[in-house]
Amino acid sequence: MKTIPPAARAYIGCALLAAGACVLPALRPGAPWGTIALLAALYALCELPARCPLLGRALGGSVLGTGSFFPVLLAAALLLPPAAAALTAVPGSLLARVEEPPAAPRRAWRAAATTLAVWAAAHAAAALGGPAALGHGRDAPDLPYALLPACAAALALCLVLTALDGGIRATVDGLPPRAAWRGLLGRALAPYLVHGLAGLMMGVLWRGSHGPVAGLFVLLPMYISCWVFAQYHRERAAHQTTIRALVQAVDIKDRYTRGHSERVGHASVLIARELGMPEDRLDVVRFAGILHDVGKLGVPTRVLRKDGPLTPEERRVIELHPEYGHEIVRGIGFLGEARDAILHHHERMDGSGYPYGLRGERIPEFARMVAVADAFDAMTSNRSYSRARPVPVAVAELERCAGTHFDPRMVDALVRALDRHGWRPAVTADESAAPSGGNAALSGGTVTPSDGTATQSGGTAPQPGGGVPKAREASAPSPPRPSSSTPPPSPSPSSSAPSGERA
């Protein structure tokens, strides 16, 4: 159980006191208790699926995960005085799901923060004449002016919640203020404004001639829309978790390539963007780059970490990693074209690659992108046993091998992207193990190693201008490869890797 620091407890206590002061005027006689009770019940009902196992299974959890269904609260800010509007937030906030213990302080904090935010939103709406702008009965609402108080209420709600959330992050996690608040407002502003418009529609219908029943009709489509949106984000988060787990497993097994997968994913996206690829395919390109070496999970660790030259048998084993990777991700539907890139990223344009000796345009487009990104990071990376090449030297080698090993269009796209964005140096290997004369991240745009870019001790280190460095070669030549893209029963290993990797 995570303990709450004293500073955070004091912060929560102050927020509770302030929230109590805000709702106190609503407890006096004459408050619109009917409207307060109905809106409070609606808000609590919207938060209920997160707490009810049966509803949670049916609806996939709460509508907004750990968030709140703000249209009801913003409608309350437009319909009620500030103290009464703030009171509507209390029951639902106390019912909201808590992800981690301790539950009581977290629920208390959520109730206090939401109450303060709704109180501020109601004041902002009242200052701009929000209740009058909604109209009443047969009196038409003052549109489009009513948009102004609604947006002001949504903005006030967003500002107060993000300010309070940043404060609790700073006190609980000990973050500096700038880091605690960074990015909170930018991510939250657009959703809050959309909820503000939904709250305005609900308030207008509530005040109309048909009364509260008409206002409730806004909730159902909005609630379903929020549920679908939340489902998308939950699925996306699950995808990211799956990718992260696979990459972490590879990094643990092959410690010399730590960080290589992420950099290959980044370089692959740079190439795709330069080629004008649609945004909806960029995620798949990134997944292809990040997971291109996932098949190393099927390669014995002793082969991946071997210090000396590989034997012909060991090379044949390590050259199976594209097929292992394809088998590992075969059932992951969201990867799409990335699966073909994982299988074919060691194919060459002249047909001398592996596992199936595909040639030219028969190699999948994503595989051609990943091959260039993989080779570039391989050459511009430092390891404990080899020295990184400067970016210009690596680019020259890619250009020299364009048309034979690599697709010239992908190489040109990477060169243009590097000219535009540059390449940030990084170090992934243990610097203490670096050989004398082998700097870690060299100045001038060098990065850390990839999967075996150069030979290890007993092999030949890459020499500037000497071509794309080859991995240790097997003594036996490769058997002929089929021309068909249909995978044969067993792969035909290549004698060397195009990017200077072991495989």
Side-chain angles (χ1 to χ4, degrees):
M1 178 185 296
K2 184 176 180 180
T3 59
I4 299 179
R9 291 183 180 275
Y11 187 80
I12 294 172
C14 291
L16 286 170
L17 290 175
C22 289
V23 301
L24 190 60
L27 303 179
R28 298 171 184 169
W33 284 107
T35 304
I36 293 173
L38 184 53
L39 288 171
L42 283 173
Y43 178 55
L45 185 63
C46 290
E47 295 291 341
L48 187 60
R51 298 292 305 280
C52 177
L54 180 61
L55 288 175
R57 285 192 295 269
L59 299 177
S62 66
V63 168
L64 294 178
T66 58
S68 298
F69 192 59
F70 292 117
V72 176
L73 299 181
L74 287 166
L78 292 168
L79 291 167
L80 295 170
L87 192 58
T88 62
V90 175
S93 299
L94 294 175
L95 281 174
R97 180 173 57 185
V98 175
E99 297 289 341
E100 299 176 6
R106 291 178 184 275
R107 287 201 179 93
W109 162 250
R110 176 183 287 268
T114 309
T115 299
L116 290 171
V118 175
W119 180 83
H123 270 289
L128 294 172
L134 296 180
H136 196 279
R138 297 187 179 277
D139 295 336
D142 188 4
L143 294 173
Y145 177 78
L147 292 171
L148 185 60
C151 290
L155 181 60
L157 188 81
C158 179
L159 289 173
V160 173
L161 281 178
T162 52
L164 291 172
D165 285 346
I168 199 68
R169 289 178 66 194
T171 55
V172 170
D173 298 327
L175 297 173
R178 186 173 180 179
W181 277 281
R182 184 183 296 127
L184 290 179
L185 183 60
R187 291 193 300 267
L189 186 56
Y192 279 89
L193 290 176
V194 172
H195 284 203
L197 294 178
L200 173 62
M201 288 188 290
M202 183 176 175
V204 167
L205 292 174
W206 190 290
R207 283 283 189 87
S209 57
H210 297 288
V213 175
L216 299 182
F217 286 121
V218 177
L219 287 182
L220 184 59
M222 186 67 183
Y223 196 81
I224 293 174
S225 299
C226 288
W227 177 79
V228 171
F229 190 67
Q231 288 290 92
Y232 165 76
H233 278 280
R234 274 193 289 272
E235 183 177 348
R236 184 180 176 86
H239 293 173
Q240 299 290 348
T241 302
T242 302
I243 300 299
R244 194 178 303 116
L246 289 171
V247 172
Q248 187 176 21
V250 176
D251 285 347
I252 290 172
K253 185 161 189 175
D254 189 2
R255 61 179 180 271
Y256 292 120
T257 64
R258 189 163 298 140
H260 167 65
S261 299
E262 287 83 355
R263 293 194 304 274
V264 173
H266 174 62
S268 300
V269 170
L270 289 180
I271 294 171
R273 280 207 174 105
E274 201 64 35
L275 293 174
M277 187 166 286
E279 288 290 328
D280 59 350
R281 297 182 71 197
L282 291 183
D283 270 348
V284 183
V285 173
R286 185 170 62 86
F287 291 154
I290 288 175
L291 291 176
H292 74 284
D293 273 343
V294 71
K296 287 187 173 181
L297 293 174
V299 177
T301 305
R302 61 176 178 79
V303 176
L304 292 175
R305 298 186 180 184
K306 184 176 179 181
D307 290 332
L310 297 177
T311 66
E313 180 60 30
E314 287 169 339
R315 170 150 297 285
R316 283 191 287 271
V317 170
I318 205 170
E319 285 181 350
L320 290 172
H321 82 273
E323 291 192 302
Y324 291 154
H326 186 259
E327 285 299 315
I328 289 172
V329 302
R330 172 178 285 179
I332 305 178
F334 69 84
L335 289 178
E337 295 174 85
R339 290 173 292 193
D340 287 336
I342 292 168
L343 179 61
H344 296 295
H345 71 278
H346 279 296
E347 306 283 4
R348 297 180 181 179
M349 295 296 287
D350 61 5
S352 64
Y354 63 89
Y356 305 129
L358 301 187
R359 182 188 299 268
E361 296 294 322
R362 299 189 72 178
I363 304 172
E365 184 181 29
F366 281 11
R368 284 177 271 143
M369 289 181 191
V370 172
V372 173
D374 187 22
F376 173 73
D377 187 69
M379 289 187 287
T380 57
S381 297
N382 277 305
R383 283 194 176 180
S384 59
Y385 55 80
S386 67
R387 184 174 179 175
R389 294 183 175 200
V391 167
V393 174
V395 167
E397 296 297 341
L398 289 175
E399 291 174 334
R400 189 185 68 81
C401 294
T404 54
H405 291 178
F406 310 116
D407 186 337
R409 198 164 63 99
M410 305 304 172
V411 174
D412 291 342
L414 179 62
V415 172
R416 293 196 305 269
L418 293 174
D419 288 341
R420 185 176 309 185
H421 303 289
W423 187 253
R424 180 175 298 177
V427 176
T428 57
D430 240 351
E431 293 306 327
S432 60
S436 58
N439 296 335
L442 305 177
S443 59
T446 58
V447 244
T448 47
S450 76
D451 24 315
T453 45
T455 59
Q456 297 176 351
S457 57
T460 303
Q463 301 298 323
V468 175
K470 292 186 178 181
R472 290 165 288 201
E473 298 183 357
S475 57
S478 303
R481 291 180 177 77
S483 58
S484 171
S485 60
T486 304
S490 60
S492 300
S494 171
S495 62
S496 62
S499 64
E501 303 176 62
R502 278 185 156 185

